[in-house]
Amino acid sequence: RSPCTSMPAEAQVRLGELVTPGWEKTVGLWLAGTCGMLFSMIAIGGYTRLSGSGLSMTDWRLEGRRLPWTQEAWVKEFEEYKKYPEYQRLHSGKMELDEFKRIYFVEWFHRMWGRTAGLLFAGPLFYFASRGILRARLGLNLTGLFGLGLSQAFVGWWMVRSGFDPPEKHTPTLGPNQRPRVSPYRLASHWTAALTIYAGCVWNTLSLLRPSPSAMHKSAQ
């Protein structure tokens, strides 16, 4: 029995504007999984900031990178970190390599989790779109969310890059000897975009799995 056969005809028509009939649950569950990934991504990002790990990686590659495998590679990364204000003002002479490895891993995991979420969204999106399962309205919505998500990679590095400057450059009104951190304005941009993507994904998920009452029951109109 089709998942839609128990729905009023009007609800079936509205869902048919989003996906090919019969694919509502499949696409909806995929989007629900994506929502979970996005929520965890935001939570990991928050932990990265609160744990002081966000400035430990001093370069960025779109394709990502593996963790350093040798002691020499770890020392090289640590020496790069020492060139910037966070180490010089907060950790100079006090941070050991093992502590650096811990914060480096947190930032590395945050970045790689984001790339994983992007791939798990892009792959099914391409599959559903290429098979004509997504109608134009939903296809445009999800493509827009994917584009915004892709831009987050660049916005995230733009944000992190600001943390390598003396903090007085980005918040001059707070006076000298500030604690090194990323620009609060760039952080706000990154955070707002993340919430927008999450909210958009939740909205599209519920549109498929929990259609509006007005579509399900005429008495709700």
Side-chain angles (χ1 to χ4, degrees):
R1 182 177 177 180
S2 168
C4 289
T5 54
S6 61
M7 293 184 184
E10 185 178 353
Q12 295 182 36
V13 170
R14 292 198 180 186
L15 287 176
E17 296 174 355
L18 300 176
V19 296
T20 300
W23 284 88
E24 297 84 2
K25 185 174 182 180
T26 300
V27 177
L29 290 176
W30 159 60
L31 289 176
T34 300
C35 290
M37 289 287 290
L38 292 173
F39 183 85
S40 64
M41 180 67 185
I42 293 172
I44 293 169
Y47 176 76
T48 301
R49 176 164 174 77
L50 292 175
S51 64
S53 305
L55 300 177
S56 56
M57 293 182 70
T58 58
D59 69 343
W60 179 82
R61 304 171 190 174
L62 181 61
E63 71 278 11
R65 59 181 300 183
R66 68 184 186 184
L67 283 170
W69 279 23
T70 65
Q71 184 73 1
E72 292 76 13
W74 276 114
V75 170
K76 180 180 179 182
E77 293 294 333
F78 193 24
E79 291 302 317
E80 285 296 316
Y81 177 64
K82 290 179 179 180
K83 297 177 181 178
Y84 296 102
E86 183 172 78
Y87 176 83
Q88 294 169 356
R89 298 192 184 188
L90 301 180
H91 306 303
S92 182
K94 296 180 290 186
M95 176 179 280
E96 300 293 336
L97 182 60
D98 285 343
E99 184 179 354
F100 172 72
K101 289 180 179 181
R102 182 188 63 79
I103 64 172
Y104 187 100
F105 176 80
V106 172
E107 172 64 8
W108 175 85
F109 186 81
H110 174 54
R111 295 188 189 189
M112 297 309 294
W113 190 258
R115 289 177 173 87
T116 301
L119 290 174
L120 292 178
F121 184 77
L125 175 62
F126 177 78
Y127 173 79
F128 292 138
S130 64
R131 294 197 57 186
I133 294 168
L134 303 180
R135 302 303 194 198
R137 175 183 161 190
L138 183 60
L140 288 174
N141 287 348
L142 298 183
T143 300
L145 290 176
F146 177 71
L148 186 57
L150 185 61
S151 73
Q152 278 288 77
F154 300 95
V155 172
W157 174 244
W158 176 62
M159 176 191 71
V160 169
R161 184 65 188 83
S162 68
F164 301 145
D165 298 323
E168 294 81 9
K169 176 179 178 180
H170 299 282
T171 51
T173 59
L174 297 182
N177 302 317
Q178 298 178 37
R179 182 184 179 91
R181 59 179 181 175
V182 299
S183 163
Y185 310 108
R186 299 186 189 187
L187 174 63
S189 298
H190 194 48
W191 170 247
T192 301
L195 292 181
T196 300
I197 296 168
Y198 177 71
C201 194
V202 170
W203 180 274
N204 285 287
T205 300
L206 295 179
S207 296
L208 290 170
L209 300 180
R210 292 289 185 271
S212 64
S214 62
M216 294 295 294
H217 306 288
K218 291 184 178 181
S219 60
Q221 296 180 349

